[in-house]
Amino acid sequence: MSSISPPDPQPDPKLSDTMVLLVYSPGAEVVRTVVRKLATEGAQGAFVLLPRHIDMVTALLPGVLSYIDADGGEHFLGIDAGTLVKCGAEVRVAVRGAFVSDDLSRLRDEVARQFLTLDDSERAARTALARLESGAIRGMAEYGR
């Protein structure tokens, strides 16, 4: 028995001010919907993206991505670091982790707990790697003498 996947969302021609938002995390499609506007924070600061904005690519920071759907409802995603690509009427977002919540106060706490804790783990791993690298360099220097 084959399954038929739902059609890809398309910007509504009557609503020329819409975009298709696609959000992916490893192994999952988190969001696929038509939106009027989205806001999030990139490496250069917070920004709002509208359908008629110029095409762009930017790095995203861990935080909150909010969007207004085609019906005017506001929705929120907690996102980890990633990349946003806007091309025409399509916005693709690829992040290391994401979750949906319409409770903004709970969402901010969850982002801090999940994604900022990972940053501390990452820092510890990088410090350990730097120590290993410096130890290897010292070992090669002593061997060369």
Side-chain angles (χ1 to χ4, degrees):
M1 192 182 273
S2 67
S3 65
I4 299 173
S5 60
D8 287 339
Q10 297 295 319
D12 188 337
K14 291 177 252 160
L15 300 172
S16 63
D17 292 334
T18 61
M19 308 174 280
V20 174
L21 173 62
L22 305 159
V23 179
Y24 302 99
S25 66
E29 183 178 82
V30 181
V31 171
R32 177 181 288 257
T33 191
V34 175
V35 302
R36 293 178 186 253
K37 171 173 110 172
L38 72 88
T40 193
E41 188 170 353
Q44 305 301 317
F47 65 94
V48 173
L49 196 57
L50 298 169
R52 294 183 184 168
H53 279 149
I54 191 166
D55 292 349
M56 64 180 278
V57 176
T58 190
L60 298 177
L61 299 177
V64 175
L65 182 149
S66 66
Y67 64 90
I68 306 293
D69 65 23
D71 297 327
E74 187 171 24
H75 304 278
F76 304 99
L77 296 172
I79 60 169
D80 200 351
T83 304
L84 177 144
V85 177
K86 181 191 183 296
C87 185
E90 187 173 272
V91 179
R92 290 182 182 256
V93 176
V95 291
R96 290 189 286 183
F99 53 90
V100 178
S101 175
D102 286 334
D103 181 350
L104 191 54
S105 62
R106 185 182 286 167
L107 182 70
R108 289 187 194 280
D109 293 341
E110 192 64 21
V111 166
R113 189 182 70 75
Q114 281 192 29
F115 301 138
L116 300 181
T117 301
L118 288 176
D119 286 344
D120 291 341
S121 300
E122 233 175 81
R123 274 192 284 270
R126 287 181 184 176
T127 300
L129 182 60
R131 287 182 185 149
L132 287 172
E133 288 172 345
S134 64
I137 290 169
R138 272 195 305 272
M140 286 188 281
E142 288 178 15
Y143 180 75
R145 290 185 204 160

